[in-house]
Amino acid sequence: MARTIIEPFRIKSVEPIRWTTREEREQLLRAAHYNLFLLPADDVLIDLLTDSGTGAMSTHQWAAIMEGDESYAGSRSFDRFRNSVQDIFGYRHVIPTHQGRAAERILFSVMCKKGDIVPNNTHFDTTRANVEFVGAEAVDLVIEEGKHPSVVHPFKGNMDVGALETVINRVGRERIPLVMLTVTNNSGGGQPVSMENVRAVSAVCRKNRIPLYFDACRFAENAYFIKLREKGYESKTPKQIAQEMFSYGDGCTMSAKKDGMANIGGFLCTNDELLAQQEKNLLILTEGYPTYGGLAGRDLEAVAVGVQEALHEDYLRYRIHSTAYLGNHIAEHGVPIVQPPGGHAIYLDARAFLPHIPPDQFPGVALAAELYLEGGIRSVEIGTLMFGAAAKMDLVRLAIPRRVYTQSHIDYVVEVILEVWKKREQIQGLRLSYEAPFLRHFTARLEPVGVPITPTLASS
Ligand SMILES: *Cc1c(COP(=O)(O)O)cnc(C)c1O
């Protein structure tokens, strides 16, 4: 019999979480205008809002933090950081940044201009925003299977290689300063990209002399999916797989808040000497000197250890299986989720969960609010509130912080979701009472459609 996959760590320091009563949560939810971003984190029992920067660090990371060298220039911590990153990623130049989007801003500022086109499997929202900020166009070219939540495919994050060639032939390689591959494909449900796809995209890029960059935020999870699902990689280590993957590219952007296992940090890598020089000049202008890039020396140490720990096989086995455990247990009872479970999160399909709530009454927000009411769980809507009428799906993402919650926490989450599933017909839609002109999901205020409009809020 297969044995239980246990957390490959024991707990040395604990952070209490706080229970609230249902009545308290009803009040708190009203005070937060049904928007979970507006809740104080102390009033959340299990926080699955994001896996970004919310992970638990290891004893090795905390020990390394004490070794942080806070010298302004030439810090020993930078050497350790660069060596660790190069060991995995293999790129010549490693530029530290305070998080992923800073690496993106610098990369696109240096490489792109107005009228350019950047193909990606799927741009993450900050990536798209930074491409568009410099006047370039962000084009998503994920394979058809990746667009359908219920379709099962081992590598739903793959790029459509034919579509990439079509774009290149249509607009010409001069207008495409780089191609990006996001591993795993976050906006597409945390779905992996296969090595075969990386090789094929790389071959098209090399043939057309276009550099290939990775958005590497979840590179370790992607490497483990390749090990599990792709022929020829069964006996390779996740690190060997990651090294091979990056060898097909010319550089990367990285948020160390994900598979860097740190609470803050990021980096930008390139093999191009001239680009590296321009990138460092911009870095000095806005982030800091190239041996710290807006981070403390101790942060560099945490990342140096973290990127290596993210590749440990026992950690990845636990990570991928515990995410799938949540997804499979609720799916068994009929709860509609994006299939198959991704690496870092489970996505509930709110339109299928609450078919009686039309998209303009925010089924995702209503479902997220109900999960909080039922069990103090915080999740996030990715749908009509976030993207407006352009949203093709209404999803609720349950992102799993790294090494933070145990199997009994996940069992509890399963129980709460199944309770809500039983009562789904009683859940009401919501309407907006306040929205900001852009990125409205962070600050929006809502109220149940059954409640008369409150004049003060409706006009604010
Ligand atoms: C989080 C993330 C980013 C941005 O990184 P930040 O550290 O949040 O700035 C970019 N791309 C992907 C795929 C991400 O998941």
Side-chain angles (χ1 to χ4, degrees):
M1 203 182 80
R3 295 213 175 134
T4 303
I5 292 166
I6 61 170
E7 289 81 9
F9 47 80
R10 52 186 179 177
I11 296 165
K12 179 174 264 179
S13 174
V14 298
E15 186 180 5
I17 50 180
R18 198 171 80 83
W19 289 92
T20 48
T21 64
R22 187 172 177 108
E23 289 82 67
E24 284 171 325
R25 289 196 294 277
E26 278 168 6
Q27 254 176 20
L28 287 159
L29 193 60
R30 269 195 303 274
H33 304 281
Y34 292 83
N35 182 347
L36 303 185
F37 277 108
L38 304 181
L39 276 179
D42 274 354
D43 297 325
V44 173
L45 185 68
I46 307 239
D47 203 345
L48 307 182
L49 183 71
T50 176
D51 67 321
S52 178
T54 53
M57 287 202 289
S58 67
T59 47
H60 297 296
Q61 284 178 292
W62 285 111
I65 278 173
M66 286 304 290
E67 299 275 352
D69 172 4
E70 305 302 341
S71 304
Y72 191 96
S75 152
R76 172 178 77 228
S77 296
F78 174 72
D79 290 337
R80 278 203 279 262
F81 167 84
R82 185 195 49 212
N83 293 343
S84 178
V85 170
Q86 276 178 337
D87 172 46
I88 299 163
F89 292 73
Y91 300 122
R92 256 196 296 284
H93 302 278
V94 180
I95 299 170
T97 60
H98 79 275
Q99 60 184 85
R101 66 198 71 183
E104 292 170 350
R105 187 187 62 83
I106 291 171
L107 177 71
F108 300 130
S109 301
V110 167
M111 291 193 84
C112 301
K113 59 182 187 311
K114 204 169 167 345
D116 284 348
I117 285 176
V118 180
N120 199 323
N121 41 354
T122 310
H123 286 84
F124 182 65
D125 55 8
T126 61
T127 321
R128 169 173 291 275
N130 275 295
V131 167
E132 290 172 354
F133 188 70
V134 298
E137 186 189 339
V139 178
D140 291 342
L141 300 176
V142 74
I143 55 169
E144 189 56 36
E145 289 88 338
K147 298 175 191 164
H148 305 282
S150 60
V151 173
V152 177
H153 182 284
F155 293 104
K156 273 176 106 172
N158 281 356
M159 183 181 274
D160 182 336
V161 182
L164 175 64
E165 288 189 291
T166 306
V167 170
I168 297 171
N169 292 336
R170 181 162 54 82
V171 306
R173 59 164 289 276
E174 304 73 25
R175 278 180 62 199
I176 306 179
L178 75 162
V179 170
M180 282 198 101
L181 265 180
T182 306
V183 293
T184 60
N185 194 10
N186 184 0
S187 307
Q191 301 293 332
V193 176
S194 70
M195 193 73 86
E196 186 188 13
N197 191 247
V198 171
R199 269 196 298 269
V201 169
S202 174
V204 170
C205 290
R206 295 213 163 142
K207 190 176 79 192
N208 291 282
R209 281 168 292 121
I210 301 171
L212 172 63
Y213 278 70
F214 289 93
D215 179 338
C217 296
R218 294 180 185 78
F219 75 96
E221 292 171 9
N222 201 99
Y224 193 65
F225 277 121
I226 288 175
K227 182 179 170 77
L228 291 181
R229 298 180 184 171
E230 192 163 351
K231 210 166 160 288
Y233 291 92
E234 305 83 354
S235 54
K236 297 232 157 93
T237 64
K239 186 163 165 178
Q240 289 169 326
I241 295 171
Q243 287 165 332
E244 180 183 339
M245 181 167 72
F246 293 125
S247 74
Y248 299 121
D250 303 281
C252 72
T253 56
M254 172 74 185
S255 168
K257 301 174 74 171
K258 322 289 174 48
D259 278 349
M261 309 290 263
N263 301 121
I264 196 72
F267 50 87
L268 170 58
C269 292
T270 182
N271 278 335
D272 187 309
E273 187 71 37
L274 185 66
L275 280 179
Q277 201 52 55
Q278 294 171 316
E279 286 163 357
K280 283 182 202 171
N281 291 342
L282 200 51
L283 186 83
I284 291 173
L285 195 65
T286 59
E287 292 274 308
Y289 190 74
T291 59
Y292 74 87
L295 294 169
R298 56 178 172 269
D299 299 327
L300 296 169
E301 297 277 356
V303 177
V305 177
V307 286
Q308 299 287 342
E309 287 184 351
L311 287 165
H312 289 177
E313 208 161 319
D314 52 357
Y315 158 72
L316 283 167
R317 184 183 310 115
Y318 140 79
R319 169 81 176 152
I320 299 304
H321 278 91
S322 68
T323 306
Y325 178 91
L326 168 58
N328 294 336
H329 274 74
I330 56 176
E332 259 168 34
H333 289 83
V335 176
I337 64 166
V338 174
Q339 289 284 6
H344 69 290
I346 293 299
Y347 295 71
L348 307 178
D349 181 348
R351 283 188 197 173
F353 199 114
L354 302 172
H356 59 288
I357 303 182
D360 65 359
Q361 289 181 9
F362 310 106
V365 185
L367 179 53
E370 199 64 28
L371 293 175
Y372 177 70
L373 268 187
E374 185 65 34
I377 297 166
R378 177 155 69 173
S379 53
V380 65
E381 184 248 21
I382 301 188
T384 305
L385 184 61
M386 191 176 274
F387 301 119
K392 293 188 188 71
M393 296 186 263
D394 277 283
L395 304 177
V396 172
R397 185 184 73 185
L398 303 151
I400 319 289
R402 292 168 181 75
R403 303 190 289 208
V404 169
Y405 294 116
T406 63
Q407 181 165 337
S408 57
H409 290 114
I410 300 293
D411 283 332
Y412 172 86
V413 173
V414 170
E415 289 162 15
V416 170
I417 294 171
L418 294 181
E419 279 303 311
V420 171
W421 176 241
K422 274 192 229 151
K423 317 181 182 165
R424 61 190 181 278
E425 281 160 20
Q426 293 153 37
I427 300 172
Q428 282 193 61
L430 298 164
R431 65 170 166 247
L432 276 168
S433 58
Y434 165 77
E435 63 178 311
F438 47 84
L439 294 175
R440 65 178 182 173
H441 54 287
F442 289 121
T443 54
R445 296 175 186 179
L446 303 100
E447 57 193 6
V449 283
V451 174
I453 293 178
T454 345
T456 51
L457 278 179
S459 57
S460 68

